[in-house]
Amino acid sequence: MASRKSPSTKTPGEADTVLSKSGKSRARILDAAAKVLSEKGYAGMRLTDVAEVAELQAPAIYYYFKSREDLIEEVMWVGIADMRTNLENALAEIPDGTGPVDRIMVAVEAHLRHELEISDYSTASIRNSGQVPEHLRTRQNAETAEYGKIWRSLVRQAYEDQAIRQDLDLYMLQMLIMGCINWAVEWWTPRRGSVDDVVRNAQAFIRSALAES
């Protein structure tokens, strides 16, 4: 699998300047936590594993995060916040005049690539959303709602332009699309084909479902 990148989303208080040594250590801990959480899940994530990946002593984590739960909460929020930023950037680059269905296809690709090959944070956030206690998901849920608004706008525009079937319930349609592309984190591995293959098949499947018969 391609190496995963740190998020473009800045955590609270992070400056635009080059990170200090302390800031780099905090970022390294977050990157490590995202990787461990994405692979081992909420129940299986141990701070000793995070410290090993971050190449730090486990007690050093408490200098930056009060508890394991605080660290997990940060990863879960960053995962969705960065995914939203990534999608907004992808949509902003679409040429004027691009049809509404093609815009949905761009969003499908942006989502899949981000969760499968770009960000451990997004993988961790999606995979553990149903496992992490509700009190740790307040910021994540707020970001998820904002992310959903973007998708709702894409689907609504395609419907209003009569570019997709008119007999579909738009809420159900949005949830089914999101369920389809989110589930990829659970079954996909490089052994099952490239991310390009996943994107191509998902786009073909969704485009067909949207089309008038």
Side-chain angles (χ1 to χ4, degrees):
M1 182 180 298
S3 96
R4 313 275 274 207
K5 300 178 182 178
S6 296
S8 59
T9 301
K10 293 183 174 61
T11 54
E14 185 178 334
D16 290 328
T17 55
V18 176
L19 286 176
S20 64
K21 180 178 179 180
S22 176
K24 289 179 180 178
S25 295
R26 186 178 189 277
R28 193 158 75 246
I29 291 169
L30 276 171
D31 287 350
K35 180 175 177 58
V36 173
L37 188 60
S38 71
E39 294 175 351
K40 298 191 174 184
Y42 173 72
M45 178 181 148
R46 299 183 304 171
L47 291 185
T48 51
D49 295 329
V50 174
E52 182 178 352
V53 173
E55 299 181 342
L56 296 169
Q57 296 297 315
I61 295 174
Y62 291 104
Y63 178 80
Y64 302 96
F65 299 94
K66 293 180 181 179
S67 66
R68 171 180 176 271
E69 288 196 338
D70 282 350
L71 178 56
I72 289 172
E73 191 275 342
E74 185 84 0
V75 170
M76 295 293 286
W77 168 68
V78 170
I80 298 301
D82 197 49
M83 180 167 274
R84 178 163 70 95
T85 298
N86 180 70
L87 178 56
E88 290 172 339
N89 291 340
L91 294 175
E93 294 175 359
I94 297 176
D96 292 341
T98 300
V101 173
D102 287 332
R103 290 177 61 84
I104 292 174
M105 295 303 109
V106 168
V108 168
E109 179 171 7
H111 184 103
L112 285 168
R113 291 195 182 282
H114 204 263
E115 69 180 355
L116 297 181
E117 69 180 3
I118 295 177
S119 174
D120 283 324
Y121 290 81
S122 295
T123 304
S125 188
I126 292 169
R127 181 169 284 170
N128 291 281
S129 186
Q131 302 178 33
V132 173
E134 186 66 30
H135 72 278
L136 297 182
R137 301 209 314 266
T138 301
R139 287 195 299 163
Q140 180 203 6
N141 288 342
E143 281 294 338
T144 299
E146 293 302 312
Y147 189 64
K149 287 180 182 178
I150 300 174
W151 280 92
R152 186 157 58 249
S153 176
L154 290 170
V155 171
R156 170 63 64 180
Q157 189 62 59
Y159 181 83
E160 291 178 351
D161 289 356
Q162 298 188 350
I164 63 175
R165 291 173 52 170
Q166 299 293 288
D167 62 335
L168 298 174
D169 180 288
L170 299 189
Y171 174 77
M172 291 183 183
L173 174 60
Q174 179 184 339
M175 292 300 101
L176 287 167
I177 292 174
M178 297 304 300
C180 170
I181 56 182
N182 278 339
W183 187 246
V185 300
E186 299 296 342
W187 60 262
W188 179 79
T189 71
R191 296 190 304 274
R192 295 184 179 273
S194 68
V195 175
D196 289 344
D197 292 334
V198 178
V199 170
R200 184 173 64 254
N201 279 272
Q203 287 176 329
F205 177 75
I206 293 169
R207 189 185 291 273
S208 177
L210 297 174
E212 290 283 1
S213 57

